[in-house]
Coordinates of all heavy atoms in Angstrom, one line a residue:
A104 N -126.8 -71.7 113.8 CA -126.5 -71.6 112.4 C -125.1 -72.2 112.1 O -124.1 -71.8 112.9 CB -126.6 -70.2 111.8
G105 N -124.9 -73.0 111.1 CA -123.6 -73.5 110.7 C -123.7 -74.5 109.6 O -124.8 -74.8 109.1
G106 N -122.6 -75.0 109.2 CA -122.5 -76.0 108.2 C -121.3 -76.8 108.2 O -120.3 -76.5 109.0
L107 N -121.2 -77.8 107.3 CA -120.0 -78.6 107.2 C -119.9 -79.2 105.8 O -121.0 -79.2 105.1 CB -120.0 -79.7 108.2 CG -121.3 -80.5 108.4 CD1 -121.4 -81.6 107.4 CD2 -121.3 -81.1 109.8
T108 N -118.7 -79.5 105.3 CA -118.6 -80.1 104.0 C -117.7 -81.3 104.0 O -117.0 -81.6 105.0 CB -117.8 -79.0 103.1 OG1 -116.5 -78.8 103.6 CG2 -118.6 -77.7 103.0
G109 N -117.9 -82.1 103.0 CA -117.1 -83.3 102.8 C -116.9 -83.6 101.3 O -117.4 -82.7 100.5
E110 N -116.3 -84.6 101.0 CA -116.1 -84.9 99.5 C -117.5 -85.1 98.9 O -118.2 -86.1 99.1 CB -115.3 -86.2 99.4 CG -115.1 -86.6 97.9 CD -114.3 -85.5 97.1 OE1 -113.4 -84.8 97.8 OE2 -114.6 -85.3 95.9
G111 N -117.8 -84.2 98.0 CA -119.0 -84.2 97.2 C -120.3 -83.7 97.9 O -121.4 -83.8 97.4
Y112 N -120.2 -83.0 99.1 CA -121.4 -82.5 99.7 C -121.1 -81.3 100.6 O -120.0 -81.1 101.1 CB -122.1 -83.6 100.5 CG -121.4 -84.0 101.8 CD1 -121.5 -83.3 103.0 CD2 -120.5 -85.1 101.7 CE1 -120.8 -83.7 104.1 CE2 -119.8 -85.5 102.9 CZ -120.0 -84.8 104.0 OH -119.3 -85.2 105.2
A113 N -122.2 -80.5 100.7 CA -122.2 -79.3 101.6 C -123.5 -79.4 102.3 O -124.6 -79.5 101.7 CB -122.0 -78.0 100.9
I114 N -123.4 -79.3 103.7 CA -124.6 -79.3 104.5 C -124.7 -78.1 105.3 O -123.6 -77.7 105.9 CB -124.6 -80.6 105.4 CG1 -124.7 -81.9 104.6 CG2 -125.8 -80.5 106.4 CD1 -124.5 -83.1 105.4
Q115 N -125.8 -77.4 105.4 CA -125.9 -76.2 106.2 C -127.3 -75.9 106.7 O -128.3 -76.4 106.1 CB -125.4 -75.0 105.3 CG -126.0 -74.9 103.9 CD -125.3 -75.8 103.0 OE1 -124.0 -75.9 103.0 NE2 -126.0 -76.5 102.2
G116 N -127.4 -75.1 107.7 CA -128.7 -74.8 108.3 C -128.6 -73.6 109.2 O -127.6 -73.3 109.8

Side-chain angles (χ1 to χ4, degrees):
L107 45 83
T108 62
E110 181 59 36
Y112 68 86
I114 296 170
Q115 47 280 314

